[in-house]
Amino acid sequence: RWARAYEILDSMRDRIADAVREHLPVAQAAREMSDLASTFSGIGENTHRMRLTSYVLAAHLETVTAMANERLHHMTDGRYQLKYTDERAKGTARSGLGLVVVDAWTGRSRDPATLSGGEAFMASLALALGLGDAVRADSGGMELHTLFVDEGFGSLDQDTLEQVMEVLDGLREGGRLVGVVSHVTELRARIPSQIEVRKTSEGSTVHPIVSGF
């Protein structure tokens, strides 16, 4: 009886050993796939907690930022430049699409949230224009012919407003249609064709103003 039990146990040991040998490659492949999925998802050994999609977009963001800085340099008299950063975000936040502002006056980089309202508007506008330039470059030179800028001008002082309008005028002279949505009275002298929206208790009406004054 003990001999029979030994034979059964010996047979089971061989079957278990065979099953383990067959399972090991599958387990190794599963482990590799799990590690790869974790890396793509921004977890595990991914030290920057950056998803694969963010990694791809980061390359485009660097291009957009470089093109945006051409406009931002002019609008801020060379004071500000935007810089891409892959520095890990604080806490549990994801990283990969960060920007910092390089201030030429202080020689330091800082968070874009520290910009004033007018400065933040100029940075946003520069990024939008840079994105348009990047799309044109990626699409084989296809132009984005129309650009609308909605508000933000009221946060600019007179000199800064003039610099921003010079950039927009340059786009218009280059063949783009630039539409400005604003309540700033000073812009009227700079915009040749206007549409005024007048609100009443019965609804809003649209009035074209061709002269610009």
Side-chain angles (χ1 to χ4, degrees):
R1 188 169 56 182
W2 288 107
R4 178 57 181 164
Y6 177 80
E7 291 178 1
I8 294 174
L9 290 174
D10 192 52
S11 175
M12 292 179 61
R13 182 191 62 187
D14 291 340
R15 288 200 299 270
I16 292 172
D18 292 341
V20 169
R21 281 192 294 270
E22 292 178 3
H23 174 73
L24 283 177
V26 177
Q28 178 63 26
R31 188 160 46 247
E32 292 175 355
M33 291 299 294
S34 177
D35 292 342
L36 188 61
S38 296
T39 300
F40 285 174
S41 300
I43 56 179
E45 296 184 5
N46 188 325
T47 57
H48 283 81
R49 295 182 59 80
M50 183 188 300
R51 291 190 176 95
L52 177 62
T53 51
S54 297
Y55 179 81
V56 174
L57 289 173
H60 291 285
L61 180 58
E62 288 187 274
T63 301
V64 170
T65 302
M67 294 179 172
N69 281 332
E70 297 178 11
R71 280 17 184 290
L72 188 60
H73 183 273
H74 178 78
M75 286 189 280
T76 63
D77 279 335
R79 178 178 180 181
Y80 292 125
Q81 293 279 277
L82 297 171
K83 182 180 179 181
Y84 163 76
T85 177
D86 62 359
E87 182 178 353
R88 180 167 175 173
K90 296 180 180 179
T92 60
R94 301 285 182 179
S95 303
L97 297 175
L99 288 176
V100 295
V101 178
V102 181
D103 190 338
W105 287 9
T106 63
R108 298 180 179 179
S109 299
R110 53 193 177 100
D111 194 305
T114 63
L115 295 174
S116 67
E119 293 167 343
F121 168 74
M122 289 188 291
S124 298
L125 177 59
L127 282 171
L129 297 177
L131 179 60
D133 291 338
V135 169
R136 178 178 58 183
D138 288 344
S139 60
M142 183 181 69
E143 289 281 0
L144 295 177
H145 294 287
T146 305
L147 170 70
F148 282 93
V149 183
D150 188 2
E151 288 300 346
F153 294 95
S155 60
L156 306 178
D157 58 48
Q158 187 60 44
D159 292 338
T160 305
L161 177 61
E162 184 67 23
Q163 292 167 329
V164 170
M165 289 306 298
E166 286 178 2
V167 171
L168 296 181
D169 285 342
L171 294 174
R172 188 164 53 84
E173 291 169 1
R176 293 191 187 182
L177 174 64
V178 180
V180 174
V181 182
S182 180
H183 295 88
V184 179
T185 304
E186 290 79 0
L187 289 178
R188 294 180 181 177
R190 299 293 301 267
I191 301 176
S193 299
Q194 303 175 31
I195 296 177
E196 181 180 3
V197 179
R198 300 174 185 171
K199 296 186 295 183
T200 68
S201 59
E202 298 178 354
S204 300
T205 57
V206 176
H207 302 268
I209 305 175
V210 179
S211 65
F213 295 90

